[in-house]
Amino acid sequence: MSHQIIDPIADLRREPAHEAVLDTQALFGERVTVYETSDEGWARGQLETDGYVGYLSANALGITGPAPTHRVSAPRTFGFPGANIKLPPMIALPMGALLAIERQDERFAINAFGWHFPLVHLSPIATKHADFVAVAEILLGAPYLWGGKTSLGIDCSGLVQIALQSAGIACPRDSKDQETALGKLSPLADLQRGDLIFWKGHVAIAGDSETIIHANAHHMMVAIEPTSQAIARIKAAGSEVTRVKRL
């Protein structure tokens, strides 16, 4: 049965337990096919966006509503109960959250609950960002979190997925699948903005011919780093570059 994420962020875990490994996160508005629920309040489901299967809190699920019309394009945004930013917000949503907007005025987009979201923080679903690297750069400084996908915490493949989705490019969740599915092989010596560099268990985005942006456990955040320095550091830890892919 199809459901919709109604929490701003819903953790998808490997097992039905709060201490289980966080594999990924589902964001507000995302569709989930639920296969089973437990008396303990867990639902086993599959995310429509990338096909990921895992366990999430049944309390994070609601009935499937209208198809989304907009995506949050700022690191975070607020839904206010009226057309006044001085009102206490009803909800805070991360980049990538999906909204069904019913109407809008000069400043706000309004959904069925009457929540008012600043228009400048949203993009129509059909909009494809021309530079997905610039989207990743918006999240500079976001703390590193294994399985995370938001400005509150994000991992390397989550950063790539969120950035590519903003450009209208379907993207698997895990770096090993991204390495196989995305782009064409390209030489490391010819690195260009937007190229993806893969190691075993890690992925980075080229900002230009000499720098990368990546969520990583060395800096414990999304950081820009000289490419040669990152390659040397990761090699010293026992991992070589496996592929460079150009989209």
Side-chain angles (χ1 to χ4, degrees):
M1 182 179 295
S2 180
H3 290 71
Q4 184 172 309
I5 300 296
I6 58 174
D7 281 356
I9 306 167
D11 292 338
L12 193 79
R13 298 190 179 275
R14 199 166 298 178
E15 302 293 339
H18 292 292
E19 65 273 16
V21 172
L22 174 64
D23 277 332
T24 189
Q25 293 174 320
L27 307 182
F28 184 90
E30 187 169 355
R31 287 353 190 226
V32 183
T33 300
V34 173
Y35 298 121
E36 58 182 303
T37 57
S38 71
D39 293 338
E40 291 75 29
W42 291 96
R44 181 176 178 272
Q46 184 170 24
L47 306 186
E48 181 181 285
T49 303
D50 55 25
Y52 224 107
V53 177
Y55 294 88
L56 62 158
S57 171
N59 291 332
L61 301 172
I63 60 173
T64 300
T69 61
H70 289 72
R71 175 182 284 110
V72 176
S73 54
R76 299 188 73 75
T77 194
F78 296 108
F80 299 95
N84 184 348
I85 61 172
K86 294 182 180 180
L87 295 172
M90 305 297 292
I91 196 168
L93 296 180
M95 177 183 284
L98 302 173
L99 289 163
I101 297 301
E102 291 196 341
R103 56 193 173 90
Q104 63 185 59
D105 57 26
E106 291 183 0
R107 295 188 62 197
F108 295 100
I110 302 113
N111 70 359
F113 299 118
W115 297 345
H116 288 58
F117 297 89
L119 268 174
V120 294
H121 290 172
L122 307 182
S123 295
I125 289 290
T127 299
K128 297 180 181 180
H129 201 291
D131 182 5
F132 79 90
V133 185
V135 177
E137 290 168 345
I138 293 173
L139 293 171
L140 272 173
Y144 180 83
L145 175 67
W146 179 275
K149 281 179 57 175
T150 78
S151 62
L152 294 178
I154 196 164
D155 65 14
C156 63
S157 55
L159 181 67
V160 170
Q161 187 184 54
I162 287 290
L164 287 180
Q165 285 173 347
S166 74
I169 301 173
C171 179
R173 176 60 177 90
D174 294 338
S175 61
K176 61 180 175 59
D177 298 320
Q178 293 172 354
E179 182 174 358
T180 301
L182 297 173
K184 297 181 179 180
L185 288 172
S186 183
L188 181 60
D190 184 37
L191 204 61
Q192 296 180 13
R193 184 175 177 85
D195 287 350
L196 302 179
I197 307 174
F198 292 93
W199 295 260
K200 184 178 180 180
H202 188 58
V203 59
I205 306 168
D208 53 35
S209 62
E210 297 182 350
T211 63
I212 58 172
I213 178 170
H214 57 155
N216 66 92
H218 176 74
H219 296 95
M220 283 305 297
M221 67 177 69
V222 177
I224 291 176
E225 186 175 8
T227 307
S228 58
Q229 178 178 304
I231 290 173
R233 176 174 56 76
I234 297 172
K235 181 178 181 179
S239 185
E240 300 269 5
V241 172
T242 54
R243 287 178 184 171
V244 176
K245 303 294 284 290
R246 181 162 297 165
L247 302 177

